[in-house]
Amino acid sequence: MRVEIWSDIACPWCYVGKARFEKALAAFPHRDEVEVVHRSFELDPGRAKGDVQPVITMLTRKYGMSEAQAQAGEDNLGAQAAAEGLDYRTRDRDHGNTFDMHRLLHFAKEHGRQDRLLQLLYRANFAEERSVFTEGDERLVELAVEAGLDAEAARAVLTDPDAYADDVRADEREAARLGATGVPFFVLDRTYGVSGAQPAEVFTQALTQAWGERSPLKLVDQGGAKACGPDGCAVPQH
């Protein structure tokens, strides 16, 4: 079974939702038969690469809330993250364009390091003092190396604006086609969708239901056709 997860590194609920989903997956009896694929989604695709601002400022301008309301929301997110065993800085984080991070995640996918890099990007953005937005490509290269990727190869991806750009855009078009207007958005075997950072129990229910309702293979057999098997191939007798 395949689970596709659309998310953005700038999305705190994606950070929390990933932990809740993984808790459910760890307890799922068929977890070794579940393939997890991370898909790209930008919450702020129109933001210029160099346009970085404090999270609180972004929230007040985008949603028209007061600074007190924005900070209260961050404090609530910090508590939600802590309940999942995640570190979360509720003060002095910043917000920026994540397109290059998504391109790097597609590169990491080719090398089997996508999930590891995504977790490191989340940690860097939500839990560490250093910014993933203001330190340039070298900060992302450091994280790529920590994820087990080659530094020069990762740097080459980041310095080429076209590298994996089509893959990111394809993910975003697919999200729109599936009706995803926000993230995290989980799609199980292209049959069930789960929106938001649901409790682990909801993910457990979705995994169980999707697994149980997988369509069995329907065999079309008119009879008499020859085939090869473990004991060899049927040879016509004359």
Side-chain angles (χ1 to χ4, degrees), residues 123-160:
R123 185 197 69 189
N125 184 41
F126 292 110
E128 297 180 353
E129 291 187 13
R130 295 176 63 190
S131 173
V132 292
F133 298 108
T134 61
E135 294 194 21
D137 291 350
E138 287 308 305
R139 176 65 176 134
L140 299 184
V141 171
E142 287 179 13
L143 293 170
V145 170
E146 189 175 348
L149 297 165
D150 178 75
E152 290 307 314
R155 189 175 290 111
V157 169
L158 292 169
T159 54
D160 177 3

PDB file of all heavy atoms in Angstrom, residues 123-160:
ATOM      1  N   ARG A 123      13.046  19.928  11.677  1.00  0.00           N
ATOM      2  CA  ARG A 123      13.755  20.224  12.927  1.00  0.00           C
ATOM      3  C   ARG A 123      14.465  21.566  12.840  1.00  0.00           C
ATOM      4  O   ARG A 123      14.404  22.387  13.768  1.00  0.00           O
ATOM      5  CB  ARG A 123      14.781  19.120  13.212  1.00  0.00           C
ATOM      6  CG  ARG A 123      15.503  19.254  14.556  1.00  0.00           C
ATOM      7  CD  ARG A 123      16.761  18.404  14.591  1.00  0.00           C
ATOM      8  NE  ARG A 123      17.796  18.934  13.693  1.00  0.00           N
ATOM      9  CZ  ARG A 123      18.929  18.288  13.391  1.00  0.00           C
ATOM     10  NH1 ARG A 123      19.146  17.085  13.877  1.00  0.00           N
ATOM     11  NH2 ARG A 123      19.819  18.851  12.592  1.00  0.00           N
ATOM     12  N   ALA A 124      15.131  21.802  11.714  1.00  0.00           N
ATOM     13  CA  ALA A 124      15.866  23.045  11.538  1.00  0.00           C
ATOM     14  C   ALA A 124      14.929  24.249  11.553  1.00  0.00           C
ATOM     15  O   ALA A 124      15.248  25.297  12.126  1.00  0.00           O
ATOM     16  CB  ALA A 124      16.655  23.007  10.231  1.00  0.00           C
ATOM     17  N   ASN A 125      13.767  24.101  10.926  1.00  0.00           N
ATOM     18  CA  ASN A 125      12.847  25.235  10.831  1.00  0.00           C
ATOM     19  C   ASN A 125      12.093  25.495  12.124  1.00  0.00           C
ATOM     20  O   ASN A 125      11.895  26.650  12.508  1.00  0.00           O
ATOM     21  CB  ASN A 125      11.839  25.000   9.700  1.00  0.00           C
ATOM     22  CG  ASN A 125      10.932  26.194   9.488  1.00  0.00           C
ATOM     23  OD1 ASN A 125      11.373  27.339   9.534  1.00  0.00           O
ATOM     24  ND2 ASN A 125       9.662  25.938   9.253  1.00  0.00           N
ATOM     25  N   PHE A 126      11.693  24.448  12.808  1.00  0.00           N
ATOM     26  CA  PHE A 126      10.817  24.622  13.964  1.00  0.00           C
ATOM     27  C   PHE A 126      11.521  24.546  15.315  1.00  0.00           C
ATOM     28  O   PHE A 126      10.964  25.031  16.308  1.00  0.00           O
ATOM     29  CB  PHE A 126       9.691  23.579  13.929  1.00  0.00           C
ATOM     30  CG  PHE A 126       8.720  23.795  12.799  1.00  0.00           C
ATOM     31  CD1 PHE A 126       8.685  22.918  11.740  1.00  0.00           C
ATOM     32  CD2 PHE A 126       7.877  24.892  12.793  1.00  0.00           C
ATOM     33  CE1 PHE A 126       7.805  23.122  10.684  1.00  0.00           C
ATOM     34  CE2 PHE A 126       6.995  25.111  11.752  1.00  0.00           C
ATOM     35  CZ  PHE A 126       6.952  24.224  10.688  1.00  0.00           C
ATOM     36  N   ALA A 127      12.701  23.949  15.362  1.00  0.00           N
ATOM     37  CA  ALA A 127      13.306  23.721  16.673  1.00  0.00           C
ATOM     38  C   ALA A 127      14.661  24.387  16.881  1.00  0.00           C
ATOM     39  O   ALA A 127      15.091  24.537  18.023  1.00  0.00           O
ATOM     40  CB  ALA A 127      13.446  22.209  16.913  1.00  0.00           C
ATOM     41  N   GLU A 128      15.333  24.794  15.805  1.00  0.00           N
ATOM     42  CA  GLU A 128      16.688  25.318  15.940  1.00  0.00           C
ATOM     43  C   GLU A 128      16.729  26.831  15.777  1.00  0.00           C
ATOM     44  O   GLU A 128      15.871  27.424  15.115  1.00  0.00           O
ATOM     45  CB  GLU A 128      17.612  24.651  14.913  1.00  0.00           C
ATOM     46  CG  GLU A 128      17.740  23.149  15.113  1.00  0.00           C
ATOM     47  CD  GLU A 128      18.665  22.506  14.098  1.00  0.00           C
ATOM     48  OE1 GLU A 128      19.109  23.198  13.156  1.00  0.00           O
ATOM     49  OE2 GLU A 128      18.920  21.295  14.238  1.00  0.00           O
ATOM     50  N   GLU A 129      17.745  27.454  16.368  1.00  0.00           N
ATOM     51  CA  GLU A 129      17.881  28.904  16.297  1.00  0.00           C
ATOM     52  C   GLU A 129      18.330  29.356  14.906  1.00  0.00           C
ATOM     53  O   GLU A 129      17.908  30.408  14.430  1.00  0.00           O
ATOM     54  CB  GLU A 129      18.873  29.394  17.350  1.00  0.00           C
ATOM     55  CG  GLU A 129      18.362  29.254  18.779  1.00  0.00           C
ATOM     56  CD  GLU A 129      19.297  29.908  19.766  1.00  0.00           C
ATOM     57  OE1 GLU A 129      20.192  30.671  19.337  1.00  0.00           O
ATOM     58  OE2 GLU A 129      19.141  29.655  20.984  1.00  0.00           O
ATOM     59  N   ARG A 130      19.167  28.583  14.257  1.00  0.00           N
ATOM     60  CA  ARG A 130      19.636  28.956  12.922  1.00  0.00           C
ATOM     61  C   ARG A 130      18.486  28.873  11.922  1.00  0.00           C
ATOM     62  O   ARG A 130      17.677  27.965  11.965  1.00  0.00           O
ATOM     63  CB  ARG A 130      20.786  28.058  12.483  1.00  0.00           C
ATOM     64  CG  ARG A 130      22.040  28.201  13.318  1.00  0.00           C
ATOM     65  CD  ARG A 130      23.083  27.207  12.857  1.00  0.00           C
ATOM     66  NE  ARG A 130      23.490  27.452  11.478  1.00  0.00           N
ATOM     67  CZ  ARG A 130      24.252  26.607  10.765  1.00  0.00           C
ATOM     68  NH1 ARG A 130      24.642  25.463  11.312  1.00  0.00           N
ATOM     69  NH2 ARG A 130      24.595  26.900   9.541  1.00  0.00           N
ATOM     70  N   SER A 131      18.461  29.826  11.005  1.00  0.00           N
ATOM     71  CA  SER A 131      17.370  29.881  10.039  1.00  0.00           C
ATOM     72  C   SER A 131      17.687  29.064   8.794  1.00  0.00           C
ATOM     73  O   SER A 131      18.831  29.030   8.322  1.00  0.00           O
ATOM     74  CB  SER A 131      17.122  31.338   9.623  1.00  0.00           C
ATOM     75  OG  SER A 131      16.193  31.409   8.568  1.00  0.00           O
ATOM     76  N   VAL A 132      16.660  28.419   8.249  1.00  0.00           N
ATOM     77  CA  VAL A 132      16.827  27.733   6.964  1.00  0.00           C
ATOM     78  C   VAL A 132      16.550  28.684   5.810  1.00  0.00           C
ATOM     79  O   VAL A 132      16.695  28.314   4.650  1.00  0.00           O
ATOM     80  CB  VAL A 132      15.888  26.508   6.851  1.00  0.00           C
ATOM     81  CG1 VAL A 132      16.294  25.420   7.820  1.00  0.00           C
ATOM     82  CG2 VAL A 132      14.431  26.912   7.064  1.00  0.00           C
ATOM     83  N   PHE A 133      16.164  29.922   6.129  1.00  0.00           N
ATOM     84  CA  PHE A 133      15.805  30.878   5.085  1.00  0.00           C
ATOM     85  C   PHE A 133      16.856  31.961   4.859  1.00  0.00           C
ATOM     86  O   PHE A 133      16.978  32.480   3.751  1.00  0.00           O
ATOM     87  CB  PHE A 133      14.478  31.560   5.429  1.00  0.00           C
ATOM     88  CG  PHE A 133      13.323  30.609   5.522  1.00  0.00           C
ATOM     89  CD1 PHE A 133      12.758  30.300   6.760  1.00  0.00           C
ATOM     90  CD2 PHE A 133      12.804  30.009   4.398  1.00  0.00           C
ATOM     91  CE1 PHE A 133      11.692  29.427   6.853  1.00  0.00           C
ATOM     92  CE2 PHE A 133      11.735  29.125   4.475  1.00  0.00           C
ATOM     93  CZ  PHE A 133      11.186  28.836   5.712  1.00  0.00           C
ATOM     94  N   THR A 134      17.618  32.315   5.885  1.00  0.00           N
ATOM     95  CA  THR A 134      18.519  33.473   5.758  1.00  0.00           C
ATOM     96  C   THR A 134      19.985  33.103   5.553  1.00  0.00           C
ATOM     97  O   THR A 134      20.788  33.979   5.222  1.00  0.00           O
ATOM     98  CB  THR A 134      18.413  34.363   7.014  1.00  0.00           C
ATOM     99  OG1 THR A 134      18.821  33.598   8.169  1.00  0.00           O
ATOM    100  CG2 THR A 134      16.992  34.864   7.206  1.00  0.00           C
ATOM    101  N   GLU A 135      20.339  31.850   5.730  1.00  0.00           N
ATOM    102  CA  GLU A 135      21.752  31.473   5.629  1.00  0.00           C
ATOM    103  C   GLU A 135      22.150  30.978   4.245  1.00  0.00           C
ATOM    104  O   GLU A 135      23.287  30.540   4.046  1.00  0.00           O
ATOM    105  CB  GLU A 135      22.088  30.413   6.682  1.00  0.00           C
ATOM    106  CG  GLU A 135      21.997  30.927   8.107  1.00  0.00           C
ATOM    107  CD  GLU A 135      22.643  29.994   9.108  1.00  0.00           C
ATOM    108  OE1 GLU A 135      23.497  29.175   8.708  1.00  0.00           O
ATOM    109  OE2 GLU A 135      22.302  30.080  10.304  1.00  0.00           O
ATOM    110  N   GLY A 136      21.240  31.020   3.290  1.00  0.00           N
ATOM    111  CA  GLY A 136      21.587  30.634   1.922  1.00  0.00           C
ATOM    112  C   GLY A 136      21.648  29.132   1.713  1.00  0.00           C
ATOM    113  O   GLY A 136      21.287  28.325   2.584  1.00  0.00           O
ATOM    114  N   ASP A 137      22.162  28.758   0.541  1.00  0.00           N
ATOM    115  CA  ASP A 137      22.189  27.351   0.153  1.00  0.00           C
ATOM    116  C   ASP A 137      23.056  26.496   1.064  1.00  0.00           C
ATOM    117  O   ASP A 137      22.795  25.300   1.230  1.00  0.00           O
ATOM    118  CB  ASP A 137      22.700  27.217  -1.289  1.00  0.00           C
ATOM    119  CG  ASP A 137      21.706  27.757  -2.305  1.00  0.00           C
ATOM    120  OD1 ASP A 137      20.554  28.049  -1.928  1.00  0.00           O
ATOM    121  OD2 ASP A 137      22.087  27.895  -3.491  1.00  0.00           O
ATOM    122  N   GLU A 138      24.091  27.082   1.650  1.00  0.00           N
ATOM    123  CA  GLU A 138      25.023  26.269   2.434  1.00  0.00           C
ATOM    124  C   GLU A 138      24.354  25.634   3.644  1.00  0.00           C
ATOM    125  O   GLU A 138      24.732  24.536   4.057  1.00  0.00           O
ATOM    126  CB  GLU A 138      26.240  27.099   2.862  1.00  0.00           C
ATOM    127  CG  GLU A 138      27.189  27.394   1.715  1.00  0.00           C
ATOM    128  CD  GLU A 138      27.589  26.129   0.952  1.00  0.00           C
ATOM    129  OE1 GLU A 138      28.087  25.188   1.588  1.00  0.00           O
ATOM    130  OE2 GLU A 138      27.394  26.088  -0.274  1.00  0.00           O
ATOM    131  N   ARG A 139      23.373  26.308   4.214  1.00  0.00           N
ATOM    132  CA  ARG A 139      22.651  25.708   5.344  1.00  0.00           C
ATOM    133  C   ARG A 139      21.893  24.467   4.865  1.00  0.00           C
ATOM    134  O   ARG A 139      21.878  23.430   5.550  1.00  0.00           O
ATOM    135  CB  ARG A 139      21.672  26.733   5.936  1.00  0.00           C
ATOM    136  CG  ARG A 139      20.790  26.167   7.054  1.00  0.00           C
ATOM    137  CD  ARG A 139      21.614  25.786   8.254  1.00  0.00           C
ATOM    138  NE  ARG A 139      20.770  25.332   9.362  1.00  0.00           N
ATOM    139  CZ  ARG A 139      21.009  24.252  10.088  1.00  0.00           C
ATOM    140  NH1 ARG A 139      22.064  23.496   9.829  1.00  0.00           N
ATOM    141  NH2 ARG A 139      20.231  23.931  11.091  1.00  0.00           N
ATOM    142  N   LEU A 140      21.286  24.551   3.688  1.00  0.00           N
ATOM    143  CA  LEU A 140      20.565  23.406   3.145  1.00  0.00           C
ATOM    144  C   LEU A 140      21.527  22.287   2.760  1.00  0.00           C
ATOM    145  O   LEU A 140      21.206  21.101   2.925  1.00  0.00           O
ATOM    146  CB  LEU A 140      19.731  23.832   1.940  1.00  0.00           C
ATOM    147  CG  LEU A 140      18.651  24.881   2.211  1.00  0.00           C
ATOM    148  CD1 LEU A 140      17.839  25.150   0.946  1.00  0.00           C
ATOM    149  CD2 LEU A 140      17.733  24.442   3.345  1.00  0.00           C
ATOM    150  N   VAL A 141      22.698  22.639   2.275  1.00  0.00           N
ATOM    151  CA  VAL A 141      23.704  21.624   1.953  1.00  0.00           C
ATOM    152  C   VAL A 141      24.129  20.889   3.216  1.00  0.00           C
ATOM    153  O   VAL A 141      24.276  19.659   3.216  1.00  0.00           O
ATOM    154  CB  VAL A 141      24.920  22.262   1.254  1.00  0.00           C
ATOM    155  CG1 VAL A 141      26.065  21.242   1.128  1.00  0.00           C
ATOM    156  CG2 VAL A 141      24.536  22.781  -0.123  1.00  0.00           C
ATOM    157  N   GLU A 142      24.325  21.614   4.315  1.00  0.00           N
ATOM    158  CA  GLU A 142      24.680  20.981   5.585  1.00  0.00           C
ATOM    159  C   GLU A 142      23.634  19.942   5.991  1.00  0.00           C
ATOM    160  O   GLU A 142      23.971  18.835   6.429  1.00  0.00           O
ATOM    161  CB  GLU A 142      24.783  22.039   6.691  1.00  0.00           C
ATOM    162  CG  GLU A 142      26.011  22.930   6.617  1.00  0.00           C
ATOM    163  CD  GLU A 142      26.005  23.950   7.742  1.00  0.00           C
ATOM    164  OE1 GLU A 142      25.191  23.792   8.689  1.00  0.00           O
ATOM    165  OE2 GLU A 142      26.788  24.906   7.680  1.00  0.00           O
ATOM    166  N   LEU A 143      22.371  20.302   5.851  1.00  0.00           N
ATOM    167  CA  LEU A 143      21.299  19.383   6.222  1.00  0.00           C
ATOM    168  C   LEU A 143      21.250  18.187   5.273  1.00  0.00           C
ATOM    169  O   LEU A 143      20.981  17.058   5.701  1.00  0.00           O
ATOM    170  CB  LEU A 143      19.964  20.125   6.220  1.00  0.00           C
ATOM    171  CG  LEU A 143      19.824  21.206   7.300  1.00  0.00           C
ATOM    172  CD1 LEU A 143      18.575  22.044   7.052  1.00  0.00           C
ATOM    173  CD2 LEU A 143      19.782  20.586   8.686  1.00  0.00           C
ATOM    174  N   ALA A 144      21.522  18.436   3.999  1.00  0.00           N
ATOM    175  CA  ALA A 144      21.555  17.338   3.031  1.00  0.00           C
ATOM    176  C   ALA A 144      22.655  16.341   3.384  1.00  0.00           C
ATOM    177  O   ALA A 144      22.447  15.120   3.319  1.00  0.00           O
ATOM    178  CB  ALA A 144      21.763  17.893   1.625  1.00  0.00           C
ATOM    179  N   VAL A 145      23.803  16.841   3.765  1.00  0.00           N
ATOM    180  CA  VAL A 145      24.913  15.963   4.161  1.00  0.00           C
ATOM    181  C   VAL A 145      24.539  15.178   5.411  1.00  0.00           C
ATOM    182  O   VAL A 145      24.808  13.972   5.514  1.00  0.00           O
ATOM    183  CB  VAL A 145      26.193  16.796   4.398  1.00  0.00           C
ATOM    184  CG1 VAL A 145      27.284  15.937   5.041  1.00  0.00           C
ATOM    185  CG2 VAL A 145      26.691  17.378   3.076  1.00  0.00           C
ATOM    186  N   GLU A 146      23.898  15.840   6.366  1.00  0.00           N
ATOM    187  CA  GLU A 146      23.459  15.141   7.580  1.00  0.00           C
ATOM    188  C   GLU A 146      22.468  14.030   7.251  1.00  0.00           C
ATOM    189  O   GLU A 146      22.399  13.003   7.937  1.00  0.00           O
ATOM    190  CB  GLU A 146      22.831  16.134   8.563  1.00  0.00           C
ATOM    191  CG  GLU A 146      22.546  15.536   9.925  1.00  0.00           C
ATOM    192  CD  GLU A 146      22.041  16.551  10.938  1.00  0.00           C
ATOM    193  OE1 GLU A 146      22.122  17.763  10.666  1.00  0.00           O
ATOM    194  OE2 GLU A 146      21.560  16.117  12.011  1.00  0.00           O
ATOM    195  N   ALA A 147      21.713  14.227   6.165  1.00  0.00           N
ATOM    196  CA  ALA A 147      20.748  13.212   5.736  1.00  0.00           C
ATOM    197  C   ALA A 147      21.398  12.077   4.962  1.00  0.00           C
ATOM    198  O   ALA A 147      20.736  11.108   4.606  1.00  0.00           O
ATOM    199  CB  ALA A 147      19.663  13.857   4.882  1.00  0.00           C
ATOM    200  N   GLY A 148      22.703  12.209   4.686  1.00  0.00           N
ATOM    201  CA  GLY A 148      23.408  11.140   3.988  1.00  0.00           C
ATOM    202  C   GLY A 148      23.618  11.390   2.506  1.00  0.00           C
ATOM    203  O   GLY A 148      23.967  10.469   1.762  1.00  0.00           O
ATOM    204  N   LEU A 149      23.451  12.649   2.061  1.00  0.00           N
ATOM    205  CA  LEU A 149      23.620  12.993   0.649  1.00  0.00           C
ATOM    206  C   LEU A 149      24.981  13.623   0.403  1.00  0.00           C
ATOM    207  O   LEU A 149      25.613  14.159   1.318  1.00  0.00           O
ATOM    208  CB  LEU A 149      22.504  13.953   0.215  1.00  0.00           C
ATOM    209  CG  LEU A 149      21.087  13.381   0.296  1.00  0.00           C
ATOM    210  CD1 LEU A 149      20.054  14.492   0.207  1.00  0.00           C
ATOM    211  CD2 LEU A 149      20.867  12.347  -0.801  1.00  0.00           C
ATOM    212  N   ASP A 150      25.424  13.569  -0.841  1.00  0.00           N
ATOM    213  CA  ASP A 150      26.706  14.152  -1.220  1.00  0.00           C
ATOM    214  C   ASP A 150      26.594  15.672  -1.283  1.00  0.00           C
ATOM    215  O   ASP A 150      25.660  16.219  -1.888  1.00  0.00           O
ATOM    216  CB  ASP A 150      27.134  13.613  -2.590  1.00  0.00           C
ATOM    217  CG  ASP A 150      28.429  14.224  -3.056  1.00  0.00           C
ATOM    218  OD1 ASP A 150      29.493  13.840  -2.528  1.00  0.00           O
ATOM    219  OD2 ASP A 150      28.382  15.119  -3.947  1.00  0.00           O
ATOM    220  N   ALA A 151      27.555  16.361  -0.661  1.00  0.00           N
ATOM    221  CA  ALA A 151      27.501  17.820  -0.569  1.00  0.00           C
ATOM    222  C   ALA A 151      27.536  18.483  -1.935  1.00  0.00           C
ATOM    223  O   ALA A 151      26.743  19.391  -2.224  1.00  0.00           O
ATOM    224  CB  ALA A 151      28.650  18.327   0.298  1.00  0.00           C
ATOM    225  N   GLU A 152      28.459  18.062  -2.791  1.00  0.00           N
ATOM    226  CA  GLU A 152      28.588  18.712  -4.094  1.00  0.00           C
ATOM    227  C   GLU A 152      27.363  18.459  -4.966  1.00  0.00           C
ATOM    228  O   GLU A 152      26.921  19.350  -5.711  1.00  0.00           O
ATOM    229  CB  GLU A 152      29.857  18.229  -4.795  1.00  0.00           C
ATOM    230  CG  GLU A 152      31.135  18.730  -4.146  1.00  0.00           C
ATOM    231  CD  GLU A 152      31.136  20.253  -3.980  1.00  0.00           C
ATOM    232  OE1 GLU A 152      30.784  20.958  -4.949  1.00  0.00           O
ATOM    233  OE2 GLU A 152      31.472  20.731  -2.881  1.00  0.00           O
ATOM    234  N   ALA A 153      26.812  17.274  -4.889  1.00  0.00           N
ATOM    235  CA  ALA A 153      25.618  16.969  -5.670  1.00  0.00           C
ATOM    236  C   ALA A 153      24.433  17.803  -5.182  1.00  0.00           C
ATOM    237  O   ALA A 153      23.651  18.315  -5.987  1.00  0.00           O
ATOM    238  CB  ALA A 153      25.302  15.487  -5.578  1.00  0.00           C
ATOM    239  N   ALA A 154      24.291  17.941  -3.868  1.00  0.00           N
ATOM    240  CA  ALA A 154      23.212  18.760  -3.320  1.00  0.00           C
ATOM    241  C   ALA A 154      23.398  20.224  -3.701  1.00  0.00           C
ATOM    242  O   ALA A 154      22.431  20.913  -4.064  1.00  0.00           O
ATOM    243  CB  ALA A 154      23.168  18.614  -1.802  1.00  0.00           C
ATOM    244  N   ARG A 155      24.637  20.703  -3.641  1.00  0.00           N
ATOM    245  CA  ARG A 155      24.921  22.094  -4.018  1.00  0.00           C
ATOM    246  C   ARG A 155      24.600  22.337  -5.482  1.00  0.00           C
ATOM    247  O   ARG A 155      24.067  23.394  -5.859  1.00  0.00           O
ATOM    248  CB  ARG A 155      26.382  22.423  -3.707  1.00  0.00           C
ATOM    249  CG  ARG A 155      26.724  23.899  -3.846  1.00  0.00           C
ATOM    250  CD  ARG A 155      28.152  24.171  -3.397  1.00  0.00           C
ATOM    251  NE  ARG A 155      28.300  24.018  -1.945  1.00  0.00           N
ATOM    252  CZ  ARG A 155      28.986  23.048  -1.372  1.00  0.00           C
ATOM    253  NH1 ARG A 155      29.585  22.119  -2.114  1.00  0.00           N
ATOM    254  NH2 ARG A 155      29.081  22.993  -0.060  1.00  0.00           N
ATOM    255  N   ALA A 156      24.889  21.361  -6.317  1.00  0.00           N
ATOM    256  CA  ALA A 156      24.608  21.492  -7.746  1.00  0.00           C
ATOM    257  C   ALA A 156      23.103  21.610  -7.997  1.00  0.00           C
ATOM    258  O   ALA A 156      22.668  22.365  -8.876  1.00  0.00           O
ATOM    259  CB  ALA A 156      25.179  20.299  -8.504  1.00  0.00           C
ATOM    260  N   VAL A 157      22.329  20.863  -7.237  1.00  0.00           N
ATOM    261  CA  VAL A 157      20.873  20.959  -7.369  1.00  0.00           C
ATOM    262  C   VAL A 157      20.402  22.358  -6.993  1.00  0.00           C
ATOM    263  O   VAL A 157      19.606  22.991  -7.704  1.00  0.00           O
ATOM    264  CB  VAL A 157      20.172  19.909  -6.476  1.00  0.00           C
ATOM    265  CG1 VAL A 157      18.666  20.165  -6.401  1.00  0.00           C
ATOM    266  CG2 VAL A 157      20.444  18.506  -6.998  1.00  0.00           C
ATOM    267  N   LEU A 158      20.904  22.872  -5.901  1.00  0.00           N
ATOM    268  CA  LEU A 158      20.438  24.166  -5.413  1.00  0.00           C
ATOM    269  C   LEU A 158      20.863  25.322  -6.312  1.00  0.00           C
ATOM    270  O   LEU A 158      20.144  26.326  -6.421  1.00  0.00           O
ATOM    271  CB  LEU A 158      20.958  24.387  -3.989  1.00  0.00           C
ATOM    272  CG  LEU A 158      20.348  23.454  -2.935  1.00  0.00           C
ATOM    273  CD1 LEU A 158      21.112  23.546  -1.627  1.00  0.00           C
ATOM    274  CD2 LEU A 158      18.873  23.776  -2.712  1.00  0.00           C
ATOM    275  N   THR A 159      21.999  25.199  -6.964  1.00  0.00           N
ATOM    276  CA  THR A 159      22.472  26.290  -7.822  1.00  0.00           C
ATOM    277  C   THR A 159      21.857  26.250  -9.217  1.00  0.00           C
ATOM    278  O   THR A 159      22.001  27.205  -9.978  1.00  0.00           O
ATOM    279  CB  THR A 159      24.005  26.249  -7.952  1.00  0.00           C
ATOM    280  OG1 THR A 159      24.422  24.951  -8.406  1.00  0.00           O
ATOM    281  CG2 THR A 159      24.657  26.546  -6.612  1.00  0.00           C
ATOM    282  N   ASP A 160      21.178  25.177  -9.544  1.00  0.00           N
ATOM    283  CA  ASP A 160      20.483  25.070 -10.829  1.00  0.00           C
ATOM    284  C   ASP A 160      18.986  25.244 -10.578  1.00  0.00           C
ATOM    285  O   ASP A 160      18.333  24.325 -10.092  1.00  0.00           O
ATOM    286  CB  ASP A 160      20.750  23.709 -11.472  1.00  0.00           C
ATOM    287  CG  ASP A 160      19.999  23.509 -12.785  1.00  0.00           C
ATOM    288  OD1 ASP A 160      19.300  24.454 -13.234  1.00  0.00           O
ATOM    289  OD2 ASP A 160      20.090  22.416 -13.360  1.00  0.00           O
TER     290      ASP A 160
END
